[in-house]
Amino acid sequence: MLFQANRHANKSANNWRLFFQALTLSTFAALFSTNALSQEIKLVSAGAGVTELVLALDAADELVAVDSTSYLPKHLATIAKLGYHRMLSAEGIMALSPTLVVGSEVMGPETTLNVLKQAKIEVVKLPSSADEKQLMTNIDTLAQLLKRTDQATQLKQDLHRRLEGLNKQQLSQQQAQPKILFMLLQEGRGARVGGKGTAADTIIALSGAKNIADFEGYKSLSQEGILSLQPDVILLSKRSEQSDAQTDEQTAQALLKEMPLLAHTPAGKNGHIQTLAPQALLGGLGISAIGAAETLAATLLKQDQ
């Protein structure tokens, strides 16, 4: 009797041990599965400024697609390209099974974004950066979403240092600031000049120079109107999905051929016509805009010597 009781007790103990082992394994498997799913990020980035922040946070491996305004280096050429960030297609995005869509504040249309949200895809818009504070907030938001907080710390320090460098550069302390004119060229439309409140105005101000166009937003000006402003430097940008391999000198020659009166401005006479990357004009203050301001400031300082 005693032997049978012991055997029964041992059998029960073994059953309980097997039960707990199975429970532990299943719990671990569930936790592992949940953790793996929670770490999986399949990102769609819509907006040139957003995409450059994604790359700067070393999160390119999370990308499954970008919009047509985004620039990607050659080694990421296999990443899918969507349409313009204001005219995204829900079907095109959902076909990629993303977990996260992050874009500029003008990303849309809203009908597309609502379809994505109903499909349980997280959609986040980042406000356009008008100043350093908003830029840093956007970096923090993106870093939290992409689990790149360490990279965000380094990126913010680097950008803050570059902005401080622009603020300290000597150009802004000169009495006679160079007069800059920004022109946006688009196929099928006349040249437009960028006034106050535009991204070009932000870049010019960061460089320490003066935007000669004192009106708000963009406005079409005739050659005679531009001639009367007598700009020291003309900045050009072409809004096109096609890459432009022209050098600044070739761009200047093409502009003067199309608008010969500009040859009579200080910019035209001295060949001070240079291009501005389209990415620098999207999303407000961002990495490309800071880079463009640094290039402009360096050019102006060199011309002043």
Side-chain angles (χ1 to χ4, degrees):
M1 291 290 291
L2 180 61
F3 173 75
Q4 288 181 338
N6 287 338
R7 188 171 64 177
H8 180 73
N10 289 336
K11 184 177 181 181
S12 297
N14 285 335
N15 287 340
W16 278 110
R17 186 166 56 252
L18 291 172
F19 171 76
F20 282 117
Q21 286 177 344
L23 180 63
T24 302
L25 288 173
S26 62
T27 302
F28 177 79
L31 287 173
F32 179 82
S33 176
T34 302
N35 192 43
L37 287 174
S38 66
Q39 289 183 348
E40 183 183 18
I41 299 173
K42 297 176 71 176
L43 171 66
V44 170
S45 177
V50 176
T51 301
E52 67 182 13
L53 288 181
V54 171
L55 300 181
L57 290 171
D58 195 24
D61 56 336
E62 315 287 11
L63 283 170
V64 295
V66 297
D67 79 309
S68 62
T69 68
S70 297
Y71 169 80
L72 290 176
K74 288 183 179 178
H75 71 277
L76 298 176
T78 57
I79 291 175
K81 277 267 186 168
L82 303 172
Y84 189 49
H85 62 153
R86 292 175 181 263
M87 302 173 64
L88 297 172
S89 159
E91 291 78 8
I93 293 176
M94 291 176 69
L96 298 166
S97 303
T99 60
L100 175 63
V101 176
V102 183
S104 66
E105 65 178 12
V106 295
M107 174 177 64
E110 286 301 319
T111 50
T112 291
L113 304 185
N114 289 335
V115 171
L116 297 177
K117 292 173 185 174
Q118 289 170 6
K120 307 300 180 187
I121 298 170
E122 187 173 8
V123 177
V124 178
K125 285 185 176 183
L126 297 180
S128 180
S129 305
D131 51 33
E132 181 180 351
K133 182 179 179 182
Q134 184 61 60
L135 175 60
M136 299 303 172
T137 300
N138 286 351
I139 292 172
D140 283 334
T141 301
L142 195 55
Q144 289 289 336
L145 292 168
L146 301 177
K147 301 177 174 55
R148 297 294 200 282
T149 51
D150 289 344
Q151 291 89 337
T153 301
Q154 183 61 47
L155 177 59
K156 288 191 298 181
Q157 289 175 351
D158 177 57
L159 293 179
H160 177 71
R161 177 183 53 77
R162 292 171 64 182
L163 287 168
E164 274 197 329
L166 282 167
N167 288 331
K168 291 177 180 176
Q169 54 89 21
Q170 297 178 356
L171 189 64
S172 60
Q173 300 172 13
Q174 296 176 358
Q175 290 184 348
Q177 293 174 291
K179 297 178 295 184
I180 313 296
L181 181 82
F182 172 74
M183 296 175 63
L184 179 63
L185 307 180
Q186 288 179 278
E187 294 178 3
R189 302 185 63 173
R192 291 186 298 159
V193 172
K196 306 301 179 188
T198 63
D201 185 59
T202 300
I203 292 169
I204 293 169
L206 279 174
S207 75
K210 177 183 179 182
N211 186 1
I212 200 171
D214 59 358
F215 49 77
E216 293 291 327
Y218 286 95
K219 185 180 288 186
S220 295
L221 289 183
S222 64
Q223 290 188 62
E224 291 77 6
I226 296 174
L227 179 64
S228 68
L229 293 174
Q230 291 290 294
D232 296 311
V233 175
I234 293 176
L235 283 179
L236 280 180
S237 186
K238 294 181 179 179
R239 185 161 290 177
S240 170
E241 294 187 10
Q242 303 299 322
S243 61
D244 191 348
Q246 283 187 324
T247 64
D248 279 351
E249 185 176 352
Q250 291 171 328
T251 300
Q253 292 301 320
L255 177 69
L256 295 178
K257 184 177 180 181
E258 185 177 350
M259 305 177 76
L261 284 183
L262 302 192
H264 301 287
T265 65
K269 291 175 184 174
N270 298 314
H272 292 166
I273 299 174
Q274 64 184 73
T275 56
L276 196 61
Q279 297 91 338
L281 301 171
L282 298 173
L285 179 62
I287 297 174
S288 288
I290 293 171
E294 290 171 332
T295 300
L296 178 58
T299 300
L300 296 174
L301 284 170
K302 186 176 180 181
Q303 291 173 0
D304 191 53
Q305 290 175 353

